[in-house]
Amino acid sequence: MRALLVTSVGVTCAAALTLPLAAPALSAPARPPSQAAESPGSGPPSVRAAELPVAASRAAAEAAGSTQSLPLEPLAAPSDRSMGAGAAAGQGLERRTARPFSLVGVVWDDADAELHGTVQVRTRAAGSADWSGWQDVETHNAEHAADLGSDERSSGAVRGATAPLWVGESDGVEVRVLPEAADPQNRSAAAPLPEGLRLELVDPGPDPAPEPAAETAPEPARAAPVGRTATTATFALNPTPPTTTPVVVPEVLTAESEAASAVNAELAPLGATFIPALTKAETVEAANVAAGAKPYIGPRPGIITRKGWGADERLRERQFAYTRTVKAAFVHHSATGNNYTCKQAPSVLRSIYRYHVKSSGWRDFGYNFAVDKCGNIYEGRAGGVTKAVLGAHTLGFNTNTMGIAVLGSYSSTNPPAAAVTAVSKLTAWKLGLFGRNPKGKVTLTSGGSNKYKAGTKVKMNVISGHRDGFATECPGARLYKKLGTARTSSAKLQGR
C-alpha cells in the first residue's frame, strides 16, 4: 500500500492568529440525509441531493469507498465445535466472496436494543486463499453515541451497532452472531437477538492522491492568500517536514470540502491537508493572550485535517453543531484492533467515518480527534479544531466535552508511548484554549447513561477515560492506566 502523503501549508508560524476562544452560538443540527443502504455503484444521498450527473456521482462514490450491507441468516448450529455442544443457534453468513473491503461491523434496526451475545468474523485476505482465524467484534458499542434526546439521536436514522473491526484488504467473509444464554446452566435458553441484523463490509477507498511532484523554490515562497488555492508540500506521516517550500498547486474544492476547511481558516489556507505545529510562544501569541496574563496553554501540535486523511465530505450532515465550551476531554480506544500500520491509519479513519455515518446513522465521525499508534493527530468531527464541536463519543457526556479516539484496542495491549504523548500534546493545547487545567477536576451534568441518570452532577477529571462516564471497558485497561501520565505531561506543557 503506498504511503499517504499529507500537505503542509504556506503559512508563517509566527504570524499572530486570533483563535476563537469565545464559544460559538449553539447550532441546531439539521436532520441527517437518508441512511438507506447503498446498492453497488450508487452514490451517497448527499451526492444525489446535489443533482450531479449519475455517472459522475457513481464514479465519485466508488473513488471515495463503498459499503456492502448483507442481511444475516439463521444458523442451524454453530459453525465449529469451539462453541460447545448444545449451544443456541444464532445468525450469520457462511463463507462467501465479496467485493473488496477492509473493515467489518454488525448493525441492527433499533438503536436502543442491545446485542447480548458474541459476534465473530473471519476473513480472506484479498487475492489469496488465506483465511484468518475467528476474530471477536466488540458488541457493547451503545456508549459511543449521541446523547439521548439530542437531535442526532432522535433523527430516526440511528441504528444499533457493534464496534467496527479493521481486518485489512479482504474479499471473503464469514460471520456468526450467537446469543448469550439467559440461563448460564442452559445455553439453549438464549436471549433474543436484535431485529434486522446486517453485516457491514466497508471499503475505505484509495488514499488521497499524492500531490504532483513539486519543484523546489530557490527562495521561501510567500504564503498563499486564504482562498481556493493552497500551497502544498508533501511529506510522509510523522517524519520531519521538508525545509524547502514547493510551488503553488491550485485545487478546486467542492462546496462540502470548502465548508469543512473554512472553519479552520485562521490556522491554515483553504484546502490545507495539515495544520502546522506552533511553538508555545507562537501559540500564546496566536491565542491573543492578554499582556501580563499567565498563558496556561500548550504549544499547538501539528494536526492532519479531514482533507488530509481523505474524508468524503458528502457523507456527513452539512451543518455543524456546537456546544458552549470544552470542560473536559474523554479518551477512548477505537476497539478496531491493532493490526494496522501508521500508513494505513487514514484508511482506518475513512472506514470508521463511513461506518459511523452510513451504517450507524450518525451525522458525522463520532470523535472530535483521533490519534494513531505513531502519535499522528487527526481532525475528527467537522466544525473546526479550535471550536467546541458537539461529538457523539461518550453517551451522556457529549455536551461541553471533546472525545479523543486512540486507534487500536488497549484492553490487554499497552498503548504506544507516542500515542500517549500525542494525547498529552493535544489536550494541553485544546483544553488550554478554554482555560482548563489537565490535572484538575470538573463537574459535568449527565445526559443519561448506564452509570449516571440524566441530570446527575458528576465530578470528574478534566482528562477522563470513557469508563468514567459509562460502565464500559473503553478505553481499555492498559490505556486507562496511562491517563495519569497524560494529565501530568499535559499540565507541564501548559506551564503548570
Side-chain angles (χ1 to χ4, degrees), residues 456-477:
T456 304
K457 294 187 180 301
V458 186
K459 191 172 185 179
M460 293 187 184
N461 290 308
V462 169
I463 298 179
S464 286
H466 187 180
R467 62 174 61 183
D468 294 321
F470 200 98
T472 175
E473 169 64 19
C474 186

Side-chain angles (χ1 to χ4, degrees), residues 181-352:
D183 178 0
Q185 303 302 318
N186 180 12
R187 294 192 67 188
S188 62
L193 294 172
E195 296 288 336
L197 288 170
R198 297 185 298 285
L199 175 67
E200 303 286 289
L201 304 176
V202 181
D203 171 22
D207 288 332
E211 301 293 345
E215 299 177 8
T216 302
E219 297 288 341
R222 292 181 181 273
V226 174
R228 292 181 179 269
T229 302
T231 301
T232 59
T234 58
F235 57 92
L237 291 177
N238 228 16
T240 304
T243 56
T244 55
T245 306
V247 298
V248 172
V249 178
E251 180 181 8
V252 178
L253 302 177
T254 65
E256 295 88 351
S257 295
E258 182 175 338
S261 182
V263 286
N264 293 317
E266 292 97 343
L267 314 180
L270 205 63
T273 58
F274 188 73
I275 296 171
L278 299 180
T279 66
K280 183 173 176 60
E282 290 165 346
T283 302
V284 169
E285 182 180 5
N288 218 11
V289 176
K294 183 68 175 177
Y296 290 122
I297 181 172
R300 187 178 78 198
I303 301 171
I304 299 166
T305 67
R306 287 171 63 91
K307 189 173 188 301
W309 56 264
D312 182 353
E313 299 297 351
R314 300 164 302 171
L315 295 183
R316 65 170 172 80
E317 185 182 315
R318 293 188 179 184
Q319 292 186 10
F320 308 129
Y322 300 98
T323 58
R324 298 184 187 281
T325 186
V326 176
K327 293 183 176 181
F330 282 100
V331 178
H332 305 254
H333 66 173
S334 64
T336 45
N338 302 318
N339 296 323
Y340 74 94
T341 66
C342 293
K343 291 180 181 179
Q344 291 175 318
S347 294
V348 176
L349 287 172
R350 292 197 304 278
S351 298
I352 296 173

